[in-house]
């Protein structure tokens, strides 16, 4: 429902800016309305501690700053996918303070996994920088914000190497979903009646990203 463009990732005032811009264009015969920025690590990591200091984007609702890790590989009879959302912010239109820390995956036998949890911050993530972090071990996954543990899950399926990503995605009302419960197995489409230039460009700011491997 949008297109990644390299010009939407740039350094300004000592921070990485990942920007979403209103830029109507055609792609594969479909009318789209926005371009956005993404950054990806060149190497994969398996288990470790991941931390980034991030300030949210000014636009709300409609965009989703995210810090996440994901990877895929062949396994058994099919392709295994794994995704750990260290944080997705500003994606819930009804509450700008909701911070999502979700797990997604696809097992080799084709079973989709969507393990959702969130934390309600006492502050607005647009107002200042905060430190978002995750400890990923063979046995458990633990999320931290500003040094405080906010969520934890058993690691049942997230055991393959993954790349680190920072990105700006679109959310409702700028896109629409169709699919199963909680939009799982969903298809995403632009929402032309809501796709206006008001509030754009808007960017998340990243002060630093740090990754530690496990001993």
């Amino acid at each position: 429902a949008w297109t990644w463009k390299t010009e939407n990732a740039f350094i300004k005032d000592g921070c990485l800016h990942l920007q979403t811009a209103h830029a109507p264009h055609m792609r594969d015969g479909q009318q789209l309305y926005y371009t956005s920025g993404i950054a990806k690590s060149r190497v994969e990591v398996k288990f470790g501690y991941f931390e980034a200091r991030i300030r949210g984007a000014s636009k709300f609702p409609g965009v989703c700053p995210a810090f996440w890790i994901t990877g895929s590989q062949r396994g058994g009879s099919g392709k295994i996918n794994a995704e750990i959302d260290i944080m997705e912010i500003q994606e819930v239109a009804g509450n700008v303070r909701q911070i999502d820390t979700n797990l997604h995956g696809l097992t080799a036998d084709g079973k989709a996994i969507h393990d959702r949890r969130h934390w309600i911050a006492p502050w607005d993530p647009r107002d200042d920088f905060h430190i978002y972090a995750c400890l990923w071990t063979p046995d458990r996954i633990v999320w931290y914000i500003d040094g405080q543990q906010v969520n934890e899950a058993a690691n049942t399926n997230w055991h393959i190497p993954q790349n680190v990503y920072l990105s700006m995605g679109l959310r409702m009302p700028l896109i629409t979903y169709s699919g199963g419960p909680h939009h799982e197995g969903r298809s995403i489409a632009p929402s032309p009646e809501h796709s206006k230039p008001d509030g754009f460009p808007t960017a998340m700011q990243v002060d630093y990203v740090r990754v530690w491997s496990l001993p």
Side-chain angles (χ1 to χ4, degrees):
W2 65 92
T3 298
W4 304 117
K5 289 287 187 179
T6 56
E7 60 262 31
N8 289 315
F10 54 90
I11 301 296
K12 180 181 177 182
D13 300 327
C15 289
L16 170 65
H17 286 59
L18 296 175
Q19 173 181 271
T20 300
H22 182 260
H25 62 285
M26 299 293 293
R27 194 186 76 209
D28 298 331
Q30 183 181 33
Q31 177 67 58
L32 303 179
Y33 298 91
Y34 297 94
T35 62
S36 199
I38 188 170
K40 173 187 175 182
S41 67
R42 293 183 181 273
V43 299
E44 294 179 321
V45 181
K46 184 176 180 181
F47 308 130
Y49 185 80
F50 304 79
E51 178 181 287
R53 187 171 182 262
I54 296 170
R55 183 175 183 173
S58 57
K59 175 71 174 177
F60 180 79
V63 299
C64 175
F67 174 33
W68 47 298
I69 56 177
T70 189
S72 63
Q73 68 179 28
R74 301 296 299 183
S77 59
K79 186 176 182 180
I80 299 171
N81 291 330
E83 177 181 324
I84 299 172
D85 294 331
I86 300 170
M87 67 77 155
E88 289 182 303
I89 58 176
Q90 302 176 226
E91 71 169 343
V92 178
N95 190 350
V96 72
R97 298 172 185 262
Q98 179 168 320
I99 298 171
D100 292 303
T101 60
N102 299 322
L103 300 170
H104 303 285
L106 183 68
T107 63
D109 60 1
K111 177 185 177 183
I113 303 169
H114 300 285
D115 186 354
R116 295 182 172 274
R117 59 187 50 73
H118 65 265
W119 182 72
I120 304 300
W123 30 258
D124 187 326
R126 300 171 294 178
D127 291 343
D128 205 348
F129 286 89
H130 294 277
I131 298 172
Y132 302 91
C134 179
L135 174 65
W136 172 34
T137 76
D139 302 314
R140 64 185 185 133
I141 302 166
V142 187
W143 290 264
Y144 302 88
I145 298 178
D146 293 331
Q148 171 189 347
Q149 180 178 330
V150 297
N151 276 316
E152 182 174 3
N155 185 0
T156 56
N157 291 279
W158 291 267
H159 299 105
I160 64 173
Q162 302 189 54
N163 292 97
V164 181
Y165 287 81
L166 293 147
S167 65
M168 278 277 283
L170 292 182
R171 294 295 186 270
M172 296 173 65
L174 304 183
I175 56 175
T176 60
Y177 295 96
S178 60
H182 305 293
H183 312 305
E184 309 302 4
R186 63 187 183 265
S187 60
I188 303 172
S191 179
E193 65 272 27
H194 294 108
S195 297
K196 310 300 182 183
D198 301 345
F200 293 93
T202 185
M204 65 185 283
Q205 301 173 49
V206 185
D207 181 26
Y208 67 76
V209 183
R210 297 170 181 162
V211 177
W212 290 263
S213 60
L214 295 184

